[in-house]
Amino acid sequence: MIVEPGWYMALAAALFLIGAMGMLLRRNALVMFMCIELMLNAVNLTLIAAGRALNDLNGQVAVFFILVVAAAEVVVGLAIIVSIFRLRATASVDELSELKG
Amino acid sequence: MVELALFALMGLGALAGAVTVVMARNPVYSAMGLLATLLSVAVLYVVQLAHLVAAVQVIVYAGAVLTLFLFVIMLIGVDQVVDTDERLRYQRPLVGGVAGLIILFAAALTMLGDFDWVPPATVMNPDATNGTVEAVAVPLFTDWVLAFEATALLLTVAAAGAIALAAYRRRRV
């Protein structure tokens, strides 16, 4: 029994869904950030599986760029979370309402 | 057969880790769940012959990014009270319902095998997608060299921005 690329894509869809649900349900900014990483990983898995299905190595190259962008995003995002914490002493996104009109 | 066993094992591991990320009360447990997911997905990359991507996944994600997460969790404090007042009354069941619908959709697509919007290759050729260092480097440094340079700039800007944010002190008024 062979594992089709579609199976990997289904697994990636489930991972993406769990990440999106966490993004919507949790209020801790750090956990929301981890859910973003979860979704990025799901997309990476999809790209690898699609590249295999299409006999194309460019899927793996795209995953590289996503990895780099995710790393840069984590660095800046965590710095923002830390500076918000220094200002407000909270990591809950419900407490941050300065921009509310 | 080996691929099927690995897919089942690592897929379950990735899903369990992902659920842990969302459900855990303590952010440290969330980080550990994320680690489980990242390593399981790395194994799935190896199964699909993306060797270099798997190595980078373990080094960059499980090494650097997760360490950064744990560092910030420790900095902010793990023993925060989870506030229990519910401000989202109907949104949570709504999210559950929509998620169930999407899962059904994905499962139906998988069962039917209907991925017609992208015509797949008639015969999968493992040699063409064997992601060794050399094989991935060739398109990376020929077709995508401009994007490669752009990511170098992006990393520099991100590092400078993180340092600027960390060094910023609010002026007392």
Side-chain angles (χ1 to χ4, degrees), chain A residues 7-8 10-11 17-18 21 25-27 37 41 44 49 52-58 60 64 67 70 75 85-86, chain B residues 3 22 24 38 44-45 47-48 57 61 76 85 92 99 103 110 119 121 123 125 129 131 135 144 162 166 168:
Chain A
W7 295 18
Y8 288 102
L11 173 65
L17 205 62
I18 294 172
M21 285 172 69
L25 293 177
R26 295 298 301 254
R27 271 162 283 181
E37 299 305 315
N41 257 281
N44 285 349
R52 196 169 73 132
L54 298 175
N55 281 337
D56 195 342
L57 209 56
N58 283 324
Q60 300 188 14
F64 265 103
L67 278 172
V75 168
F85 184 79
R86 281 206 303 226
Chain B
E3 187 181 358
V22 178
L38 294 178
L44 289 179
Y45 288 166
V47 172
Q48 292 181 289
Q57 164 104 351
Y61 256 119
I76 286 184
D85 64 323
R92 289 184 186 230
I103 286 178
T110 312
V123 178
N125 178 13
T129 52
W144 304 103
Y168 176 71

Side-chain angles (χ1 to χ4, degrees), chain A residues 11 15 18, chain B residues 4-20 33 36-37 40-41 44:
Chain A
L11 173 65
L15 283 178
I18 294 172
Chain B
L4 184 65
L6 275 176
F7 176 79
L9 203 63
M10 291 302 148
L12 279 178
L15 286 177
V19 170
T20 308
T37 303
S40 306
V41 171
L44 289 179

Side-chain angles (χ1 to χ4, degrees), chain B residues 26-40:
Chain B
N26 192 329
V28 178
Y29 295 162
S30 290
M32 291 299 118
L34 187 62
L35 178 65
T37 303
L38 294 178
L39 292 180
S40 306

